[in-house]
């Protein structure tokens, strides 16, 4: 699999520092409106928290994710979860619906994801989800780049995320064949229960590992990023990240 080097996961750290991600997925589940007996593909299922909620609605769900550790956590919940590169999905037209939450922005081959999702759906099948959108956590990424530069670490020329505009997203999925595409950017200030340092530990440590940054320095980097973002993101009630989500619905033609 050729997956994003930044997308490396520890299920325990994710549960401790990023449990807000599935917790805020309720509006997307409402858009999906899973029905009993439907067959649904969860693209980027992670540890299966939202996958389980779709199963609880009576649907038959297959979850796919590139992280073996996260898939193992989902399987431990009794879910049908499989290790697969979501940029090269290997399904024919067998699903009534596709679903994805907080995952597509990690998949840099955006066209590959769109083609695979389209191929996996039955005619008239719907695809619903939410991902990071244009401007997502901009304050945190500015601080990440500044702190890495100050410490003499290279800033990668290629972005490690796809945070699309509505136009870019719509064009990508229309090119794959989808119709009735509706997408919107939603600013969503998001509380960080373990602060910006916890966020960096969860969402940036994989790439720092790849870049050979020792664990003790990674901790110092996380603390420095947190200090730098404090004027923008620390409130009287705690840390709040500048999330922007792109929420979408679309369907495959009949």
């Amino acid at each position: 699999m050729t997956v994003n080097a930044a997308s490396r996961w520890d299920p325990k750290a994710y549960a401790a520092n990023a449990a807000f991600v599935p917790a805020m997925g309720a509006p997307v589940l409402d858009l999906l409106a899973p029905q009993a007996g439907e067959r649904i593909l969860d693209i980027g299922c992670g540890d299966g928290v939202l996958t389980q909620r779709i199963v609880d609605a009576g649907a038959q769900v297959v979850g796919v994710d590139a992280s073996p550790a996260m898939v193992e956590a989902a399987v431990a919940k009794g879910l049908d979860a499989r290790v697969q590169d979501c940029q090269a999905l290997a399904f024919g037209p067998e699903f009534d619906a596709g679903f994805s939450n907080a995952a597509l922005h990690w998949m840099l081959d955006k066209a590959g994801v769109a083609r695979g999702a389209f191929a996996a759906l039955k005619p008239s099948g719907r695809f619903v989800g939410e991902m990071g959108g244009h401007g997502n956590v901009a304050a945190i990424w500015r601080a990440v780049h500044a702190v890495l530069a100050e410490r003499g670490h290279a800033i990668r020329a290629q972005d490690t995320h796809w945070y699309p505009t509505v136009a870019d997203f719509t064009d990508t999925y229309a090119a794959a064949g989808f119709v009735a595409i509706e997408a919107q950017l939603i600013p969503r200030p998001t509380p960080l229960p373990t602060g910006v340092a916890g966020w960096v530990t969860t969402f940036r440590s994989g790439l720092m590992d790849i870049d050979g940054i020792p664990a003790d320095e990674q901790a110092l980097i996380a603390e420095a990023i947190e200090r730098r973002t404090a004027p923008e993101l620390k409130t009287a009630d705690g840390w709040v990240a500048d999330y922007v989500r792109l929420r979408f619905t679309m369907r495959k033609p009949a």
Side-chain angles (χ1 to χ4, degrees):
M1 293 187 294
T2 304
V3 298
N4 187 345
S7 180
R8 298 176 66 190
W9 305 107
D10 177 335
K12 291 183 179 179
Y14 192 90
N17 299 321
F20 60 85
V21 175
M24 291 186 168
V28 194
L29 287 175
D30 290 342
L31 275 180
L32 178 64
Q35 302 299 308
E38 283 191 315
R39 188 164 168 80
I40 297 176
L41 179 64
D42 185 352
I43 300 174
C45 66
D47 59 1
V49 172
L50 290 181
T51 317
Q52 182 65 62
R53 292 181 62 181
I54 302 172
V55 170
D56 291 344
Q60 301 172 11
V61 187
V62 175
V64 290
D65 200 285
S67 168
M70 294 295 263
V71 168
E72 182 179 355
V75 169
K77 295 180 172 72
L79 299 168
D80 181 354
R82 311 171 188 181
V83 177
Q84 190 170 138
D85 182 354
C86 298
Q87 301 166 123
L89 292 169
F91 296 102
E94 58 184 280
F95 294 96
D96 299 292
F99 173 82
S100 186
N101 183 64
L104 298 185
H105 51 266
W106 293 100
M107 305 172 196
L108 300 183
D109 183 1
K110 58 185 183 181
V113 178
R115 288 192 301 268
F118 185 87
L121 292 176
K122 299 175 183 177
S124 299
R126 66 197 186 280
F127 185 29
V128 172
E130 188 175 284
M131 62 184 292
H134 184 67
N136 189 55
V137 290
I140 295 179
W141 287 116
R142 285 194 299 270
V144 167
H145 294 159
V147 170
L148 289 176
E150 287 172 357
R151 301 183 71 91
H153 297 295
I155 306 301
R156 288 172 176 255
Q158 181 177 351
D159 193 3
T160 53
H161 304 84
W162 179 46
Y163 294 145
T165 62
V166 168
D168 185 12
F169 179 87
T170 301
D171 289 348
T172 298
Y173 280 82
F178 283 100
V179 297
I181 302 170
E182 297 185 7
Q184 59 178 323
L185 290 175
I186 303 171
R188 192 195 69 195
T190 300
L192 300 179
T194 58
V196 170
W199 188 96
V200 172
T201 298
T202 300
F203 294 110
R204 188 71 186 187
S205 60
L207 193 56
M208 289 195 284
D209 287 344
I210 292 292
D211 287 341
I213 300 175
D216 56 349
E217 187 180 2
Q218 289 188 30
L220 295 175
I221 288 170
E223 292 167 3
I225 292 168
E226 182 166 276
R227 288 193 299 272
R228 185 177 285 267
T229 58
E232 291 182 85
L233 303 182
K234 191 173 184 181
T235 73
D237 296 323
W239 293 91
V240 179
D242 53 332
Y243 271 63
V244 178
R245 314 316 283 168
L246 188 147
R247 190 174 297 166
F248 63 86
T249 63
M250 65 186 79
R251 64 177 176 83
K252 186 173 182 173

